[in-house]
Amino acid sequence: MADKMLVTFWGTRGSISTPGRTTEKYGGNTPCVTIENQATKIVLDAGTGIRNLGIELVREAETRKQPLGIHLFLSHTHWDHIQGLPFFQPAYLKDTRVTIYGSPKKEQFLASVLKRQMDYEYFPVSMSALTADIRIQEMSKENLRLGPITIDWEEQVFHPGGSVRYRFSAYGKKIVYATDVELDLFLRKQGRSEKEEVSAEEYMRFVADADLLIADGMYSEEEYPARIGWGHGSIPTVIEAAAKANVKQLALFHHDPQHSDKVLDELWVKYRTRYLARSRKMDLFWAREGLTVAV
Amino acid sequence: MAREDDILKDRDGFDTTEEIPMGKFAALMPVSQRAYLEITGSKEKDGIFELGETEVVLGRSTECDIQLGVQNVSRKHARVVFQNEEYLIEDLGSTNGVFVNGIKVAKCVLRGNDQIEIGGVKLVFNEEKSVHKK
């Protein structure tokens, strides 16, 4: 496994956490995913799933007696992607370093949003009480390299307030994390504007040949028409785009809070069967908490 | 000015020293979790295997807890561990991989009715919580 990137899902739910018996299979925690390769630890988003990750990391640090170095990449700062941060135990460890990356458009904004989330009106502990060495770093035009993993990124505009997609490359493999984007608005639209045309080309180029694409698949085709403009796309659109872009494996992510395990199982059967009937080049699955895949 | 413990005493029928009959509640609480692997396609090992809290290794080797004499199963193929009150399956670097519901996994927390496949052997995971009766 030394030359593999291990991808683990700690939170797969969109918008709001959904604890309970009907969501225990796919999970009720909001977005958090890790990519690990040997000592390199990358965290994608700080939804409520980051709480369990933090417990695991502290346990690991105690066993190994080594300080933690964590790289947290935020897709954006909507609640469901940051609300776990105040409960992330490593942030309270003096020897830990947490570097938080986000859109350069929002560097000051990012720091201020994270700080405001821990304002006394909302949370009893202020951000200054986090004893870890926390640094906020804007993404630059140059690719970032962490251990063997190279990271590049692009802005996504088709989400209220925007979001960022990231690509992680190592050992000839590519993982793309592209959640919270309404693909239908620029990939399906008839008579696209120049901006939409550029967005479509950029998206397809960015996800092309990905070994794993973690993508927003919030709505079925029946649900989507009533949710146009909400910033999330339909499942068939992302499947078609991924297949066209020669993606090897697609993880549907950011599940609708209204979708119980039963509904997600039904969607999985419906769309997987429909896709595999036409082609077997790409595998697709619905991301669930506690699942680790090797890329 | 009233002391805090005086205030507490003023509350109707509230006495912090009163013993709460926990036994009554404990008798209704789930006390154990039982989990099973139903194995098919392994020939001689087909059947239901109950999981405990100790690690279970599956593979072709005679050292394995569940020995699966099938050619496509690696010597030590996978293990099932009980961690954080959940069962998870982990690939031990097998040649043909571990699949949960058709997805190749390195590790996966198991949920009821998960369909596992290792080297052509099919396993179904199920669990139940037992409750003490009065």
Side-chain angles (χ1 to χ4, degrees):
Chain A
M1 291 284 178
D3 60 350
K4 299 274 187 193
M5 291 184 277
L6 290 176
V7 180
T8 302
F9 296 92
W10 298 88
T12 62
R13 190 67 53 173
S15 305
I16 191 165
S17 59
T18 56
R21 193 179 56 80
T22 60
T23 54
E24 68 178 18
K25 179 175 176 181
Y26 290 91
N29 282 303
T30 62
C32 182
V33 179
T34 50
I35 299 176
E36 289 177 80
N37 174 265
Q38 298 176 56
T40 307
K41 288 194 191 304
I42 290 168
V43 183
L44 311 175
D45 279 328
T48 60
I50 204 171
R51 191 183 72 87
N52 282 336
L53 167 65
I55 294 167
E56 204 59 41
L57 288 175
V58 168
R59 193 177 293 149
E60 191 185 305
E62 283 169 358
T63 309
R64 293 190 182 173
K65 299 197 187 321
Q66 278 179 351
L68 288 164
I70 296 155
H71 301 274
L72 168 60
F73 291 81
L74 295 177
S75 61
H76 62 313
T77 55
H78 281 166
W79 265 349
D80 50 331
H81 295 257
I82 61 166
Q83 66 196 148
L85 196 56
F87 298 89
F88 186 48
Q89 281 188 15
Y92 296 87
L93 298 181
K94 224 169 37 180
D95 295 337
T96 299
R97 176 183 282 189
V98 183
T99 311
I100 304 176
Y101 305 86
S103 166
K105 279 186 185 169
K106 292 182 175 175
E107 194 215 356
Q108 291 305 316
F109 186 50
L110 177 63
S112 133
V113 169
L114 296 176
K115 196 175 165 193
R116 274 189 286 145
Q117 178 181 226
M118 296 181 75
D119 186 280
Y120 190 64
E121 298 295 326
Y122 307 109
F123 196 72
V125 181
S126 75
M127 191 139 175
S128 60
L130 303 183
T131 44
D133 177 5
I134 296 178
R135 299 169 184 210
I136 294 179
Q137 186 176 322
E138 65 178 52
M139 296 299 292
S140 70
K141 280 185 182 169
E142 286 172 19
N143 291 349
L144 181 69
R145 196 173 168 92
L146 299 171
I149 304 176
T150 303
I151 299 118
D152 60 338
W153 62 283
E154 278 179 0
E155 299 279 357
Q156 303 186 125
V157 293
F158 290 90
H159 187 74
S163 62
V164 173
R165 57 177 168 253
Y166 296 101
R167 181 166 52 195
F168 304 87
S169 310
Y171 310 111
K173 304 280 184 180
K174 285 187 277 191
I175 299 165
V176 176
Y177 182 70
T179 188
D180 291 66
V181 59
E182 192 169 344
L183 297 184
D184 300 68
L185 289 184
F186 59 96
L187 289 183
R188 272 206 190 278
K189 197 176 168 191
Q190 303 284 331
R192 287 193 281 247
S193 67
E194 198 179 326
K195 181 187 163 193
E196 289 158 351
E197 201 66 55
V198 169
S199 291
E201 279 169 22
E202 284 176 349
Y203 178 85
M204 295 303 284
R205 202 165 41 234
F206 196 83
V207 305
D209 304 317
D211 294 276
L212 174 65
L213 168 61
I214 301 166
D216 185 328
M218 199 149 165
Y219 307 126
S220 67
E221 68 219 82
E222 292 81 13
E223 292 165 329
Y224 177 68
R227 291 158 175 81
I228 292 170
W230 290 19
H232 304 281
S234 71
I235 295 163
T237 299
V238 69
I239 292 175
E240 281 170 40
K244 201 172 167 189
N246 197 31
V247 166
K248 312 290 184 305
Q249 196 170 32
L250 170 65
L252 277 300
F253 184 72
H254 204 277
H255 309 312
D256 189 311
Q258 293 296 100
H259 289 172
S260 64
D261 289 337
K262 184 171 174 285
V263 172
L264 290 172
D265 277 342
E266 285 166 0
L267 291 172
W268 176 69
V269 169
K270 174 181 169 181
Y271 288 109
R272 197 165 191 257
T273 311
R274 191 196 287 181
Y275 172 73
L276 292 180
R278 284 187 287 143
S279 170
R280 291 187 174 269
K281 279 165 66 182
M282 179 178 77
D283 198 5
L284 63 151
F285 64 94
W286 266 245
R288 64 187 248 190
E289 270 180 44
L291 168 66
T292 302
V293 293
V295 176
Chain B
M1 192 174 152
R3 283 171 43 212
E4 197 174 316
D5 51 355
D6 293 335
I7 295 168
L8 288 176
K9 276 178 189 166
D10 286 340
R11 291 189 185 166
D12 290 343
F14 185 86
D15 184 344
T16 52
T17 62
E18 186 184 343
E19 196 176 318
I20 300 166
M22 283 303 290
K24 272 189 186 175
F25 296 105
L28 297 170
M29 290 163 101
V31 292
S32 67
Q33 197 170 341
R34 302 180 86 174
Y36 308 89
L37 284 176
E38 188 178 343
I39 305 168
T40 54
S42 75
K43 298 170 195 165
E44 73 273 20
K45 288 288 177 184
D46 283 9
I48 293 174
F49 185 93
E50 184 171 353
L51 297 164
E53 294 190 6
T54 51
E55 176 182 305
V56 170
V57 177
L58 301 99
R60 227 175 53 241
S61 162
T62 52
E63 292 168 30
C64 293
D65 303 292
I66 301 179
Q67 196 194 349
L68 304 167
V70 175
Q71 198 185 350
N72 289 336
V73 173
S74 296
R75 287 178 53 74
K76 286 190 178 174
H77 197 114
R79 64 177 186 153
V80 176
V81 294
F82 187 69
Q83 194 177 295
N84 301 331
E85 299 179 35
E86 296 182 310
Y87 288 91
L88 67 89
I89 192 162
E90 184 178 7
D91 191 338
L92 293 175
S94 68
T95 306
N96 292 313
V98 173
F99 293 80
V100 176
N101 302 330
I103 308 305
K104 191 176 185 185
V105 305
K107 252 194 295 195
C108 187
V109 172
L110 295 171
R111 299 290 180 215
N113 205 32
D114 272 344
Q115 315 284 313
I116 303 160
E117 196 254 294
I118 58 172
V121 178
K122 291 186 172 23
L123 305 97
V124 181
F125 174 81
N126 265 308
E127 61 186 331
E128 61 185 41
K129 288 187 169 103
S130 67
V131 177
H132 276 312
K133 289 178 182 164
K134 279 184 186 175

